[in-house]
């Protein structure tokens, strides 16, 4: 969803049926959602990669020309910024095996065709309205990275970037800049209007310090302070790492 948009949420609708696509898009747009369309999995992946900000929801038909819906979901979920974006499948048959497969690759809801306007709106509102807040996502990301670091006997860094003065970019725009500049495996979360969190896998203190220096070059404005915590030396869990990074912000 664009930062100037007043929509209730952005949706990518992946559906090869012209009638279903037209009906669904008109219904969703009339109820305040921003909707983009794709007629195939290949087109959906192109639109996702071209978009600056992730869609808030993916609604996708299982039976698509070219790569099928399940394979498309797998490819979408392999994109770091889409790990936490909800996916709802559309299907003409609610076979338990099909639904199980969809859940295994990353879907969290399904809707059988034909469906009513009430059914579609209820599910969309439930999925977008109950999305996790950024701090919950950060907690889960840190747990995930801690588990990976333990298995691989490796390190990772948490960087907090706090805005202390107004600049030419708002914090959301800074987040977009960083997402484009950092590695695909890195995560950037906007925790509030003045605070960003960066999770940098396979990055030690020296590497994180280099990233912070680059951040200052990329943003090219004063009014930012940075905090850094490295696993495992600065904390054994997410709360300890976050607390340590906050402390280093106040000391910077």
């Amino acid at each position: 969803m664009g930062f100037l948009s007043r929509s209730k949420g952005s949706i990518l609708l992946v559906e090869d049926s012209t009638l279903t696509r037209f009906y669904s898009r008109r219904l969703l747009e009339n109820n305040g959602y921003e909707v983009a369309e794709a007629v195939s999995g290949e087109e959906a992946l192109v639109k996702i990669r071209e978009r600056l900000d992730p869609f808030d929801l993916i609604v996708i038909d299982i039976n698509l020309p070219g790569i099928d819906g399940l394979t498309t979901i797998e490819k979408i979920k392999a994109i770091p910024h889409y790990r936490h974006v909800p996916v709802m499948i559309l299907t003409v048959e609610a076979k338990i095996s099909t639904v199980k497969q969809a859940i295994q690759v990353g879907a969290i809801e399904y809707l059988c065709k034909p469906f009513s306007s009430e059914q579609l709106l209820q599910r969309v509102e439930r999925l977008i309205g109950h999305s996790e807040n950024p701090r919950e996502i950060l907690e889960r990301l840190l747990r995930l990275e801690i588990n990976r670091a333990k298995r691989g006997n490796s390190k990772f860094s948490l960087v907090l970037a706090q805005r202390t003065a107004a600049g030419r970019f708002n914090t959301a725009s800074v987040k977009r800049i960083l997402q484009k500049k950092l590695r695909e495996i890195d995560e950037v979360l906007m925790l509030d209007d003045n605070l960003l969190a960066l999770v940098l896998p396979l990055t030690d203190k020296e590497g994180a310090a280099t990233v912070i220096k680059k951040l200052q070059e990329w943003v090219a404005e004063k009014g930012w302070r940075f905090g850094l915590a490295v696993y495992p030396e600065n904390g054994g869990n997410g709360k300890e790492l976050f607390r340590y990074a906050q402390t280093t912000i106040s000391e910077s």
Side-chain angles (χ1 to χ4, degrees):
M1 181 168 56
F3 289 104
L4 297 179
S5 173
R6 295 181 181 273
S7 77
K8 291 165 65 176
S10 57
I11 300 169
L12 177 60
L13 175 63
V14 191
E15 170 62 70
D16 63 322
S17 164
T18 304
L19 185 61
T20 302
R21 208 168 58 248
F22 175 79
Y23 163 77
S24 301
R25 178 168 189 164
R26 186 174 64 174
L27 174 66
L28 292 167
E29 287 183 337
N30 286 344
N31 281 272
Y33 296 98
E34 171 198 343
V35 182
E37 297 179 8
V39 299
S40 67
E42 290 89 345
E43 185 183 2
L45 291 166
V46 168
K47 292 203 169 183
I48 282 170
R49 289 178 179 131
E50 288 178 345
R51 186 180 172 91
L52 286 175
D53 306 310
F55 289 99
D56 296 307
L57 173 65
I58 309 293
V59 179
I60 183 169
D61 188 14
I62 285 293
N63 300 306
L64 291 170
I67 59 174
D68 62 30
L70 294 176
T71 304
T72 303
I73 294 170
E74 280 187 298
K75 291 180 178 292
I76 290 172
K77 287 297 180 179
I79 300 170
H81 304 314
Y82 277 82
R83 290 176 192 162
H84 310 290
V85 173
V87 175
M88 177 171 71
I89 62 168
L90 302 177
T91 176
V92 293
E93 52 181 354
K95 277 187 179 177
I96 292 176
S97 58
T98 302
V99 174
K100 266 188 174 180
Q101 277 183 292
I103 290 171
Q104 286 169 354
V105 297
I108 60 173
E109 182 61 276
Y110 73 94
L111 184 58
C112 290
K113 297 193 286 187
F115 49 82
S116 68
S117 57
E118 290 81 8
Q119 287 175 317
L120 178 59
L121 286 175
Q122 282 173 1
R123 281 169 171 77
V124 168
E125 288 170 5
R126 183 166 68 239
L127 289 173
I128 294 182
H130 286 74
S131 58
E132 292 176 296
N133 68 52
R135 289 180 184 268
E136 290 173 336
I137 293 174
L138 178 60
E139 286 177 14
R140 190 165 71 248
L141 279 176
L142 292 176
R143 284 198 302 271
L144 176 65
E145 290 305 328
I146 286 170
N147 288 336
R148 286 176 175 166
K150 284 179 178 176
R151 289 198 303 269
N153 194 26
S154 60
K155 298 184 178 185
F156 76 91
S157 294
L158 169 66
V159 173
L160 297 181
Q162 185 175 65
R163 179 188 287 280
T164 59
R168 58 196 179 113
F169 300 116
N170 62 26
T171 306
S173 297
V174 172
K175 177 191 172 206
R176 284 207 307 257
I177 292 168
L178 301 187
Q179 283 176 326
K180 291 175 70 175
K181 295 283 190 179
L182 291 167
R183 303 170 300 175
E184 279 199 354
I185 62 171
D186 299 328
E187 291 278 0
V188 185
L189 295 171
M190 182 170 162
L191 301 184
D192 61 40
D193 290 342
N194 296 303
L195 185 64
L196 295 172
L198 289 72
V199 180
L200 310 174
L202 304 173
T203 305
D204 59 14
K205 184 176 181 179
E206 184 179 346
T210 301
V211 170
I212 290 173
K213 190 176 288 187
K214 287 182 179 179
L215 297 185
Q216 293 169 318
E217 294 172 5
W218 295 333
V219 177
E221 64 180 26
K222 296 180 180 179
W224 286 90
R225 293 193 302 172
F226 299 93
L228 169 61
V230 181
Y231 177 85
E233 50 257 50
N234 301 138
N237 58 51
K239 286 184 179 179
E240 290 176 358
L241 290 169
F242 188 82
R243 195 179 304 121
Y244 188 92
Q246 279 184 312
T247 301
T248 59
I249 285 180
S250 62
E251 292 174 350
S252 64

